[in-house]
Amino acid sequence: MLHFLVFASLVLYGHSTQDFPETNARVVGGTEVQRNSWPSQISLQYRSGGLWYHTCGGTLIRRNWVMTAAHCVDSQMTFRVVVGDHNLSQNDGTEQYVSVQKIVVHPSWNKDNVAAGYDIALLRLAQSVTLNNYIQLGVLPQEGTTLANNTPCYITGWGRTKTNGQLSQTLQQAYLPSVDYAICSSSSYWGSTVKRTMVCAGGDGVRSGCQGDSGGPLHCLVNGQYSVHGVTSFVSKLGCNVSRKPTVFTRVSAYISWMNNVIASN
């Protein structure tokens, strides 16, 4: 289904095994969330043959703007956003369906080199959604914020529940504590593939993101509040839940000014 999976042909020099980032990460080792417990989570869907299919996650950051990954929207497709959803295969009665009016991909994004970073995009919706108990704006971190090692975080999404498995019909979450840059960029982890504009989380070999989770949020508990610190970007091509290969996210706090400028000028 995800026929536009992006593969970056990267060799990790100085690493004991050749590894490749694979985008479109999803939740492995997770559990079904309590209905609408993450009300800023959206499902990004594309149209094919008259039907709509889930491809990525995202975060509602304004009533008419969604934050997602660049690699989710760098193909020529018709997209829509579903807010307030829980079970993709049935009508929960809380959904709102909105077409995507404009896609703004970060200008430095290079689909042939996901490890360069900049895997972030904003979607302007055709109309503003109505906020309620099931649909809320995501809380974003202050610009420049970096997470302390082992900060409590959760990834959420409808992605595959195991490597090469099926997409989940219900929204899943998995506990992925953050891994700081010093550890994640070490040779036994991701090495130079990981940049300071990224966030690593997990890596225990059990829980991870996987295909279908891409673009979705990493919610981290900082100062008593969950805020969206990451946009799901890539996992190891060796598999989703590979030990010492944490799920890698675009670090939201590195792009606050860019997002504010895009929103203000559109």
Side-chain angles (χ1 to χ4, degrees), residues 78-245:
T78 299
F79 294 102
R80 74 174 183 183
V81 163
V82 185
V83 295
D85 210 347
H86 177 74
N87 188 322
L88 295 176
S89 61
Q90 67 185 39
N91 189 334
D92 298 309
T94 56
E95 303 94 341
Q96 294 176 38
Y97 303 88
V98 192
S99 57
V100 174
Q101 186 176 73
K102 185 173 185 178
I103 297 172
V104 184
V105 173
H106 194 283
S108 297
W109 164 248
N110 178 359
K111 66 180 180 180
D112 297 319
N113 186 12
V114 63
Y118 309 104
D119 191 8
I120 190 168
L122 293 179
L123 313 179
R124 189 176 72 188
L125 306 181
Q127 62 210 56
S128 295
V129 302
T130 301
L131 303 181
N132 53 40
N133 290 338
Y134 304 97
I135 301 165
Q136 293 288 324
L137 302 182
V139 177
L140 303 186
Q142 286 190 319
E143 185 166 17
T145 302
T146 56
L147 296 169
N149 191 56
N150 214 32
T151 298
C153 299
Y154 284 89
I155 185 176
T156 54
W158 287 276
R160 300 184 188 189
T161 54
K162 64 180 181 181
T163 301
N164 299 321
Q166 298 295 310
L167 292 174
S168 175
Q169 292 306 300
T170 55
L171 186 62
Q172 303 286 303
Q173 68 179 30
Y175 178 65
L176 295 186
S178 65
V179 180
D180 69 16
Y181 175 77
I183 296 173
C184 198
S185 62
S186 65
S187 60
S188 59
Y189 278 70
W190 273 110
S192 61
T193 301
V194 166
K195 308 301 186 289
R196 290 188 180 274
T197 54
M198 301 173 184
V199 172
C200 300
D204 64 358
V206 178
R207 293 165 294 197
S208 73
C210 219
Q211 274 88 354
D213 290 331
S214 275
L218 180 72
H219 319 262
C220 298
L221 184 60
V222 178
N223 297 327
Q225 181 182 43
Y226 278 102
S227 47
V228 180
H229 281 260
V231 175
T232 309
S233 184
F234 63 86
V235 291
S236 171
K237 193 186 174 189
L238 299 175
C240 295
N241 49 331
V242 176
S243 182
R244 294 194 173 190
K245 287 291 180 291

